[in-house]
Amino acid sequence: QADSLAISSTVSRERLWQAQTPQVFAIKPLIAAINKMGVAHPGLTDEASAMEFAGYQPRLVMGSYKNIKVTFPEDIELVSYYLNEEINHS
């Protein structure tokens, strides 16, 4: 339905953060958190969601726009560009 794709409102970006990968957690607490939440739990969206569910408060750290996730074939082009940029400027 086209209406479900319509914007209902714009939220303030003042307190929003963009989550990036990789997310880093100690392996034993992470596995315990995922097992506690359950791999089929609809709220399990990433490692941070499992850790939050288990009572942890993941810390935010500054990232980089160059830290992209390679998901689609066209992402390789961007990765190649960034790698060439780093090589040419070092």
Side-chain angles (χ1 to χ4, degrees), residues 19-35:
Q20 295 180 309
T21 55
Q23 296 175 358
V24 180
F25 299 100
I27 192 68
K28 286 184 181 181
L30 176 59
I31 290 171
I34 291 171
N35 287 335

Side-chain angles (χ1 to χ4, degrees), residues 10 36 44 51 64-65:
T10 300
K36 180 179 180 180
L44 180 61
M51 295 299 279
S64 168
Y65 69 91

Side-chain angles (χ1 to χ4, degrees), residues 5-31:
L5 299 177
I7 296 172
S8 59
S9 67
T10 300
V11 297
S12 170
R13 295 184 179 125
E14 184 176 300
R15 297 185 46 86
L16 294 180
W17 285 72
Q18 178 184 27
Q20 295 180 309
T21 55
Q23 296 175 358
V24 180
F25 299 100
I27 192 68
K28 286 184 181 181
L30 176 59
I31 290 171

